[in-house]
Amino acid sequence: DTGVSQNPRHKITKRGQNVTFRCDPISEHNRLYWYRQTLGQGPEFLTYFQNEAQLEKSRLLSDRFSAERPKGSFSTLEIQRTEQGDSAMYLCASSLEGTSVYEQYFGPGTRLTVT
Amino acid sequence: RKEVEQDPGPFNVPEGATVAFNCTYSNSASQSFFWYRQDCRKEPKLLMSVYSSGNEDGRFTAQLNRASQYISLLIRDSKLSDSATYLCVVTGPRSGSARQLTFGSGTQLTVLP
């Protein structure tokens, strides 16, 4: 399967714990995005990478959140000291520079539940 | 006020019906407009772009009114497989957040046999 992959698909954690999610974009896609989606809402933009550079961050991305894309391929999103309000689906998307911005291909998401 | 607003529905329609969804956006400098489809517990997928001149893809027609900051999606001859949540999406102005997608909350459609 050459689509966007995300791991783990589900994560249950206790409040206060740290969690890390991984996203593997489509090969050759140099743009990578993270979104968060809560029940009954559309996805909300969190951050965007072009290659290894993090170019945009939403104000939703508090100090407890950090994202990296060290080699310009896969990306990780870490949430420190999780809170119940962090429970959501975390979606990753990728696209190729030179194509239209809307051609973002989404992965299946990581569903986080904070108890 | 949300940047992109949609009627959440749900819309329950019989097979073969025509159904229309509407969406409004608040930023007059928004650059590009789309409809995405999201099946239950799945990722969003691009359905179609929306142009000022209107565009059609089979049973689906999308229209944009920049003056009213209004986007629509019309589905004709609806099929059971059209049941999903339809997300209205805009991107920011060219000089700003042009690469992030701003989603509405979605409109839920159920097509009944």
Side-chain angles (χ1 to χ4, degrees):
Chain A
D1 186 351
T2 56
V4 178
S5 61
Q6 293 187 246
N7 287 289
R9 295 291 307 277
H10 302 275
K11 179 71 176 178
I12 300 174
T13 191
K14 292 185 177 179
R15 189 176 56 184
Q17 297 295 304
N18 298 344
V19 295
T20 300
F21 310 141
R22 176 177 170 130
C23 170
D24 287 88
I26 293 172
S27 298
E28 317 264 319
H29 278 193
N30 58 344
R31 292 177 176 169
L32 188 147
Y33 312 79
W34 285 98
Y35 293 82
R36 180 175 71 184
Q37 185 174 23
T38 54
L39 195 62
Q41 301 298 315
E44 295 174 294
F45 171 78
L46 293 178
T47 191
Y48 152 66
F49 289 86
Q50 179 151 317
N51 299 311
E52 65 275 9
Q54 188 173 18
L55 297 185
E56 282 188 53
K57 291 170 64 173
S58 163
R59 65 183 186 282
L60 293 175
L61 214 65
S62 75
D63 292 345
R64 297 184 297 106
F65 287 70
S66 63
E68 293 183 342
R69 196 183 182 199
K71 298 182 179 179
S73 55
F74 73 91
S75 175
T76 58
L77 177 68
E78 181 183 16
I79 309 174
Q80 295 182 327
R81 305 181 303 282
T82 51
E83 301 172 356
Q84 287 187 320
D86 297 331
S87 295
M89 175 75 84
Y90 289 84
L91 293 161
C92 176
S94 71
S95 68
L96 182 62
E97 184 177 6
T99 61
S100 299
V101 65
Y102 62 80
E103 292 186 83
Q104 294 186 20
Y105 297 86
F106 284 82
T110 294
R111 184 172 296 280
L112 173 66
T113 302
V114 182
T115 61
Chain B
R1 183 187 171 190
K2 286 188 174 181
E3 288 188 60
V4 181
E5 298 215 45
Q6 297 182 247
D7 179 348
F11 284 63
N12 298 318
V13 302
E15 265 187 295
T18 296
V19 61
F21 304 139
N22 303 318
C23 165
T24 56
Y25 60 95
S26 60
N27 187 343
S28 59
S30 294
Q31 183 180 355
S32 305
F33 310 88
F34 319 98
W35 286 99
Y36 272 67
R37 169 191 169 132
Q38 187 170 28
D39 293 307
C40 187
R41 296 188 171 272
K42 299 284 190 179
E43 70 272 23
K45 292 184 179 178
L46 177 65
L47 178 65
M48 60 196 303
S49 303
V50 189
Y51 305 115
S52 298
S53 54
N55 49 300
E56 189 174 306
D57 182 1
R59 299 181 293 108
F60 298 83
T61 301
Q63 293 203 306
L64 166 66
N65 184 322
R66 283 188 182 268
S68 302
Q69 295 177 209
Y70 171 94
I71 305 162
S72 66
L73 176 68
L74 183 77
I75 305 175
R76 292 181 300 278
D77 188 24
S78 53
K79 311 291 185 191
L80 296 176
S81 58
D82 294 334
S83 297
T85 296
Y86 291 82
L87 298 159
C88 178
V89 183
V90 306
T91 65
R94 185 175 297 276
S95 60
S97 306
R99 292 180 180 82
Q100 62 174 265
L101 301 179
T102 300
F103 288 80
S105 298
T107 299
Q108 185 180 341
L109 170 67
T110 301
V111 181
L112 304 168

